[in-house]
Amino acid sequence: MGSQKRELRLDRPIVFSETPPFPHNMLMELANICNHECVFCGYKNMKRKKMMCDKHFMFDIMKQAYENGTREVGFYMIGEPFICNDLAEYVSCAKGLGYEYIYLTTNGALATVERCKELISAGISSIKFSVNASTRESYIAVHGRDDFYIVRENIFNLKKYLENNKINVPLFISFVKNELNKHDVEKLEREFDSVVDKIYVFPCANQGGTMKRKLLDQGIVKEDEMFPGSVAPCAMCFNRLHITCEGYLNACCADSDGYLSAIDLHQTSLIDAWNSEIMIELRRKHLRNELSGLLCQNCINNTEEIFSPLNKDLCLAFSNEKLS
């Protein structure tokens, strides 16, 4: 791909204000179900009921978002998007509404070339594969599934299809580096450098504020190498929409249990939810770095303090006990 290699859109405009502009970008969780159990992800210990979203409800949310200025949509959060057999319909809906950039992240095990062809025809803009190992053994250790060769074949087959048909859809790989796979990076880069546009290596972090103890106890990360999940103020509260499969506006893409679900969008319009007092107050706390009592405190400061949900009515998983 040479000089034509592209990069992910990571630097989006942001206004740090209690009432920022309506976001240009949105993530939608089509399902909170995953076929993998990656060691760095909160999914394995998720307490939320596993479910698929309501398709037509999500279509309406996409319409509301577009009418208020959103132009980018990604179909992933906690779950695996290819779990949804009608994934291409979501892409097609977004394309039909006028979205300019439509993307997703997948572990790739279900992303056969035939499934990807459907997405390409529907209007997908880019696909990122979460590949956190370069050998079968370390893949099983990190992903919890023996899908290394399946994923590898799916990526190579898709690359071949794109090249043979002169289709311009960027492919990316993300890799979360930890104690189980830290020696895999160079081999992964050698094998996939000519296959994808770019490989992104991220440090293993206290994702969503609930992972610190689990990562340390299992030896996934050393204590002096534990990265916080974010910084204050966290950009997610200010420049992106996060829609859970239950139909809630959430403040965070890594909140596996709904502790930061703010508003039920079945009862409130998307624009009113974005400008709601509960979201304004959350942003105010981020701007002041006064996060005690919120999950954000543990994410940003790598602490394990007792916290309460943003909206108790929307967080059935909550238990008012210190994380163990």
Side-chain angles (χ1 to χ4, degrees), residues 6-276:
R6 293 136 297 183
E7 297 189 6
L8 286 171
R9 298 187 178 189
L10 297 176
D11 296 322
R12 294 182 171 90
I14 181 167
V15 176
F16 286 111
S17 162
E18 292 178 9
T19 54
F22 195 82
H24 191 74
N25 181 263
M26 174 171 65
L27 292 184
M28 306 190 84
E29 182 183 61
L30 306 185
N32 63 356
I33 304 166
C34 192
N35 54 331
H36 283 196
E37 293 186 344
C38 296
V39 294
F40 52 80
C41 178
Y43 173 76
K44 186 174 182 179
N45 300 294
M46 185 179 73
K47 303 178 186 71
R48 290 160 65 202
K49 178 183 177 182
K50 294 179 182 179
M51 61 183 291
M52 309 286 285
C53 72
D54 181 306
K55 179 167 62 177
H56 296 290
F57 174 82
M58 288 299 200
F59 286 176
D60 180 65
I61 294 297
M62 274 193 273
K63 184 173 183 291
Q64 289 186 52
Y66 186 84
E67 289 173 347
N68 284 287
T70 304
R71 293 296 180 267
E72 300 177 355
V73 60
F75 295 115
Y76 68 97
M77 278 185 2
I78 299 302
E80 163 57 42
F82 277 90
I83 289 284
C84 300
N85 292 327
D86 48 4
L87 177 58
E89 290 187 47
Y90 292 92
V91 177
S92 180
C93 178
K95 190 70 174 179
L97 286 167
Y99 279 86
E100 299 165 1
Y101 189 67
I102 306 162
Y103 61 106
L104 57 81
T105 295
T106 172
N107 59 49
L110 302 176
T112 63
V113 69
E114 294 303 320
R115 293 288 308 276
C116 289
K117 284 181 187 179
E118 295 177 357
L119 301 187
I120 293 164
S121 296
I124 197 75
S125 303
S126 71
I127 300 174
K128 176 159 64 72
F129 294 87
S130 177
V131 184
N132 303 283
S134 64
T135 68
R136 178 182 176 226
E137 293 71 24
S138 56
Y139 190 93
I140 293 171
V142 175
H143 284 258
R145 294 290 184 273
D146 189 4
D147 288 335
F148 177 71
Y149 293 113
I150 292 172
V151 171
R152 184 181 180 280
E153 182 178 12
N154 284 344
I155 296 173
F156 275 82
N157 285 345
L158 177 55
K159 165 67 172 178
K160 182 177 180 181
Y161 171 76
L162 294 173
E163 285 190 333
N164 289 345
N165 292 278
K166 296 180 172 57
I167 296 172
N168 182 26
V169 173
L171 305 180
F172 305 104
I173 283 178
S174 64
F175 179 99
V176 178
K177 186 177 179 181
N178 58 72
E179 288 298 304
L180 302 181
N181 64 9
K182 63 184 181 182
H183 301 298
D184 287 22
V185 177
E186 289 186 8
K187 182 179 178 183
L188 185 83
E189 290 175 338
R190 286 196 305 270
E191 184 165 17
F192 287 98
D193 179 65
S194 62
V195 182
V196 300
D197 286 76
K198 189 163 183 174
I199 298 171
Y200 291 85
V201 179
F202 300 107
C204 192
N206 182 16
Q207 185 187 70
T210 63
M211 295 299 296
K212 179 178 180 179
R213 184 52 44 197
K214 299 177 182 69
L215 293 172
L216 292 177
D217 289 349
Q218 296 173 32
I220 309 302
V221 180
K222 294 179 180 178
E223 187 153 16
D224 59 353
E225 297 176 355
M226 173 71 70
F227 278 78
S230 187
V231 296
C234 178
M236 291 192 210
C237 308
F238 297 86
N239 73 341
R240 191 165 69 190
L241 299 161
H242 307 93
I243 314 300
T244 73
C245 61
E246 296 93 346
Y248 303 154
L249 174 66
N250 193 293
C252 177
C253 69
D255 174 23
S256 58
D257 275 318
Y259 296 121
L260 294 173
S261 287
I263 300 287
D264 186 347
L265 297 174
H266 295 89
Q267 302 174 6
T268 305
S269 69
L270 189 55
I271 184 72
D272 287 344
W274 178 253
N275 294 317
S276 63

Side-chain angles (χ1 to χ4, degrees), residues 245-308:
C245 61
E246 296 93 346
Y248 303 154
L249 174 66
N250 193 293
C252 177
C253 69
D255 174 23
S256 58
D257 275 318
Y259 296 121
L260 294 173
S261 287
I263 300 287
D264 186 347
L265 297 174
H266 295 89
Q267 302 174 6
T268 305
S269 69
L270 189 55
I271 184 72
D272 287 344
W274 178 253
N275 294 317
S276 63
E277 183 55 39
I278 193 170
M279 289 297 294
I280 291 172
E281 178 62 19
L282 177 64
R283 295 184 199 113
R284 183 179 297 130
K285 289 179 177 179
H286 270 264
L287 290 169
R288 297 173 179 174
N289 198 10
E290 297 174 352
L291 300 171
S292 182
L294 288 172
L295 178 62
C296 307
Q297 166 75 11
N298 291 338
C299 177
I300 290 169
N301 297 291
N302 261 341
T303 53
E304 297 176 278
E305 294 183 7
I306 295 173
F307 62 89
S308 295

